[in-house]
Amino acid sequence: MHVAPAGHPPTVRYRRAVRLVIAKCSVDYVGRLSAHLPPAVRLLMVKADGSVSIHADDRAYKPLNWMSPPCKMQEAPGVWKVVNKAGEELRITLEEVFQDYSYELGIDPGLVKDGVEAHLQELLAKHPETFGEGHTLVRREYMTAIGPVDLLLKDAEGKSVAVEVKRRGEIDGVEQLTRYLELMNRDPLLAPVQGVFAAQEIKPQARVLATDRGIRCVVVDYDKLRGMKKDELTLF
């Protein structure tokens, strides 16, 4: 844990720590769209996954602007440059730093699945062909250094497939699977590992992010997996 005196420029912190900086700053985003935030006091958040986000004192959890990983951050006195793999740049110009604070959060166990989500995972483990012909189950709850992957499968060609199962698929679930894939693809016994994001419903924003990261989305029918047939007689 570290608190920098007010006015000191940002410095490199712990690799796995979350970093919170309160500073008067302006922000410019240059990419497919350009955006500018004029000088104001804001909260800058640098997370262990490499993401950088800028927050105001409103809008609940939603940042004013952000850069998702993978990206690289370069720090110089008074300026942060955050660049993603597409070459888009988030430039943060620091006029005055009031607090610069880092804290090691450690490994997060992740969300505890509710009854439906846990049962959905169990059913998909029994029916790995849901993800494609020839898919077979290797293990449920495959443990990584940052938590368990719901399902580890092999496809028809014998390649590894990591599946994250959610009842409702949102951006947080895609981020979670991205971190798992980053670690698993470093293991020569598993790599290359394909990611699959499976849910009863997948939000459009989550689908866009997953597709951008090469993760396949699969919408699953919970009732069908349970062997329940929908009523054939309907009013209309």
Side-chain angles (χ1 to χ4, degrees), residues 120-135:
L120 185 61
Q121 181 194 125
E122 180 183 349
L123 290 169
L124 288 171
K126 292 179 180 178
H127 300 281
E129 67 279 0
T130 301
F131 303 106
E133 185 178 352
H135 281 60

Side-chain angles (χ1 to χ4, degrees), residues 124-199:
L124 288 171
K126 292 179 180 178
H127 300 281
E129 67 279 0
T130 301
F131 303 106
E133 185 178 352
H135 281 60
T136 57
L137 177 68
V138 176
R139 184 172 177 177
R140 285 181 62 189
E141 301 288 339
Y142 180 84
M143 185 58 67
T144 74
I146 57 172
V149 176
D150 290 332
L151 302 174
L152 178 62
L153 310 177
K154 291 287 187 180
D155 66 12
E157 298 178 355
K159 296 181 180 178
S160 301
V161 180
V163 182
E164 183 63 28
V165 180
K166 300 292 183 186
R167 185 162 53 124
R168 176 179 297 176
E170 302 192 53
I171 285 178
D172 286 350
V174 177
E175 296 282 11
Q176 183 180 359
L177 179 55
T178 299
R179 293 192 292 270
Y180 291 149
L181 290 171
E182 182 182 354
L183 283 176
M184 296 173 76
N185 273 303
R186 296 177 190 172
D187 186 340
L189 299 178
L190 294 175
V193 184
Q194 170 67 42
V196 175
F197 191 50

Side-chain angles (χ1 to χ4, degrees), residues 41-63:
V41 177
R42 300 184 175 96
L43 168 65
L44 312 177
M45 180 183 298
V46 183
K47 297 176 68 177
D49 63 4
S51 62
V52 179
S53 55
I54 300 99
H55 299 261
D57 194 17
D58 60 5
R59 299 164 60 95
Y61 66 90
K62 188 175 181 180

Side-chain angles (χ1 to χ4, degrees), residues 4-231:
H8 278 216
T11 54
V12 177
R13 295 295 192 272
Y14 303 110
R15 181 182 176 189
R16 298 300 301 175
V18 63
R19 179 178 175 186
L20 304 174
V21 177
I22 299 174
K24 183 177 181 181
C25 64
S26 59
V27 183
D28 291 280
Y29 186 91
V30 181
R32 286 168 288 186
L33 297 174
S34 296
H36 174 72
L37 294 173
V41 177
R42 300 184 175 96
L43 168 65
L44 312 177
M45 180 183 298
V46 183
K47 297 176 68 177
D49 63 4
S51 62
V52 179
S53 55
I54 300 99
H55 299 261
D57 194 17
D58 60 5
R59 299 164 60 95
Y61 66 90
K62 188 175 181 180
L64 296 166
N65 214 325
W66 68 93
M67 187 71 81
S68 298
C71 57
K72 294 182 179 179
M73 187 170 80
Q74 299 176 343
E75 296 184 53
V79 180
W80 293 5
K81 292 182 181 180
V82 188
V83 182
N84 66 13
K85 61 180 181 181
E88 298 171 316
E89 181 179 309
L90 187 67
R91 179 174 296 189
I92 304 169
T93 303
L94 303 166
E95 295 188 8
E96 186 175 1
V97 176
F98 302 105
Q99 292 288 336
D100 190 345
Y101 177 88
S102 293
Y103 193 84
E104 179 71 39
L105 298 182
I107 296 173
D108 192 285
L111 294 173
V112 177
K113 296 184 181 297
D114 63 22
V116 172
E117 203 167 289
H119 192 212
L120 185 61
Q121 181 194 125
E122 180 183 349
L123 290 169
L124 288 171
K126 292 179 180 178
H127 300 281
E129 67 279 0
T130 301
F131 303 106
E133 185 178 352
H135 281 60
T136 57
L137 177 68
V138 176
R139 184 172 177 177
R140 285 181 62 189
E141 301 288 339
Y142 180 84
M143 185 58 67
T144 74
I146 57 172
V149 176
D150 290 332
L151 302 174
L152 178 62
L153 310 177
K154 291 287 187 180
D155 66 12
E157 298 178 355
K159 296 181 180 178
S160 301
V161 180
V163 182
E164 183 63 28
V165 180
K166 300 292 183 186
R167 185 162 53 124
R168 176 179 297 176
E170 302 192 53
I171 285 178
D172 286 350
V174 177
E175 296 282 11
Q176 183 180 359
L177 179 55
T178 299
R179 293 192 292 270
Y180 291 149
L181 290 171
E182 182 182 354
L183 283 176
M184 296 173 76
N185 273 303
R186 296 177 190 172
D187 186 340
L189 299 178
L190 294 175
V193 184
Q194 170 67 42
V196 175
F197 191 50
Q200 290 177 270
E201 173 193 1
I202 299 178
K203 296 293 185 179
Q205 299 93 331
R207 185 180 291 276
V208 169
L209 181 60
T211 301
D212 182 66
R213 296 182 177 182
I215 295 171
R216 183 160 58 100
C217 291
V218 175
V219 176
V220 296
D221 188 326
Y222 181 54
D223 289 336
K224 184 177 178 180
L225 286 170
R226 294 165 66 196
M228 297 177 63
K229 295 182 179 179
K230 295 182 179 179
D231 294 338

